[in-house]
Amino acid sequence: MLSEKLEKALNEQVNAEFWSAYLYLSMSADFAAKGQAGFANWMHIQFKEEQDHAIKLFNYIISRGGRPVLKPIAEVKTTWETPLAAFEDTLAHERKVTAMINDLYALALKENDYAMQSMLRWFVEEQVEEEATAQGIIDALRMIKDNGFGIYTLDKELSTRVYNPVASAE
Ligand SMILES: [Fe+2]
Ligand SMILES: [Fe+2]
């Protein structure tokens, strides 16, 4: 059984993960509108991953005898000046999510909930990957600057990203 505090905090994280999904779907729409299909594909997969994060937590709340409560999803930005601006927003957002996961972990420690600490370690690892991936694309975009062929090549590269469902998010 989850403590009331942990159930509430997990529900807030479910909302935050859905907001992340919304943010990346919005970025995907913006890239698609600009004819950058590879960037759009990358963001669309990111959207699906974030939905998986939300559902993984949703399922976890149920498995611990809690009750998922879905709250409204706040509005997201709809357009970004450049691909670099979008990926800088992505990294800044993922850093915020990392801080939220760390706070959740700290709360699970405080509440002596060992099962939840174990579940959250997956998210701790995932956040390392999320930040590193966003940073890698930012590094590439900084080298490319406004070189059209560079953007074209990176767009082609990002078009190859495929979706791998997250375990226990079905
Ligand atoms: Fe996430
Ligand atoms: Fe990921």
Side-chain angles (χ1 to χ4, degrees), residues 42 45-46 49-50 53 94 122 125-127 129-131 133 161 164 166:
W42 194 93
I45 290 167
Q46 197 62 16
E49 260 202 15
E50 295 304 337
H53 295 169
E94 288 304 329
W122 183 88
E125 296 298 322
E126 174 66 10
Q127 284 312 117
E129 183 215 287
E130 298 288 19
E131 289 190 31
T133 310
R161 184 181 184 190
N164 293 309
V166 169

Side-chain angles (χ1 to χ4, degrees), residues 75-148:
E75 201 172 1
V76 289
K77 253 177 89 166
T78 55
T79 188
W80 286 263
E81 199 72 29
T82 58
L84 180 60
F87 279 93
E88 278 173 341
D89 273 9
T90 298
L91 180 59
H93 177 63
E94 288 304 329
R95 283 178 176 157
K96 263 188 230 164
V97 174
T98 300
M100 291 180 79
I101 296 291
N102 289 346
D103 286 349
L104 263 180
Y105 198 99
L107 194 60
L109 280 173
K110 215 175 132 213
E111 301 276 303
N112 292 321
D113 193 322
Y114 304 106
M116 181 155 151
Q117 290 163 36
S118 164
M119 183 277 294
L120 283 174
R121 277 196 282 276
W122 183 88
F123 281 90
V124 170
E125 296 298 322
E126 174 66 10
Q127 284 312 117
V128 173
E129 183 215 287
E130 298 288 19
E131 289 190 31
T133 310
Q135 185 64 62
I137 297 173
I138 287 171
D139 292 344
L141 285 165
R142 286 200 177 128
M143 279 189 272
I144 290 166
K145 293 198 176 75
D146 52 6
N147 180 295

Side-chain angles (χ1 to χ4, degrees), residues 7-119:
E7 185 176 337
K8 193 170 170 282
L10 279 168
N11 268 308
E12 278 162 22
Q13 193 63 36
V14 168
N15 188 267
E17 299 292 345
F18 275 125
W19 191 85
S20 302
Y22 227 47
L23 175 69
Y24 300 136
L25 189 60
S26 186
M27 287 180 179
S28 177
D30 194 34
F31 280 126
K34 289 165 179 160
Q36 291 167 321
F39 286 103
N41 170 66
W42 194 93
M43 283 298 173
H44 190 88
I45 290 167
Q46 197 62 16
F47 152 71
K48 286 192 190 172
E49 260 202 15
E50 295 304 337
Q51 278 193 320
D52 282 359
H53 295 169
I55 298 300
K56 189 180 175 81
L57 294 167
F58 178 99
N59 289 342
Y60 185 75
I61 294 170
I62 294 171
S63 75
R64 295 288 309 277
R67 173 77 162 91
V69 179
L70 300 177
K71 293 279 165 62
I73 301 166
E75 201 172 1
V76 289
K77 253 177 89 166
T78 55
T79 188
W80 286 263
E81 199 72 29
T82 58
L84 180 60
F87 279 93
E88 278 173 341
D89 273 9
T90 298
L91 180 59
H93 177 63
E94 288 304 329
R95 283 178 176 157
K96 263 188 230 164
V97 174
T98 300
M100 291 180 79
I101 296 291
N102 289 346
D103 286 349
L104 263 180
Y105 198 99
L107 194 60
L109 280 173
K110 215 175 132 213
E111 301 276 303
N112 292 321
D113 193 322
Y114 304 106
M116 181 155 151
Q117 290 163 36
S118 164
M119 183 277 294

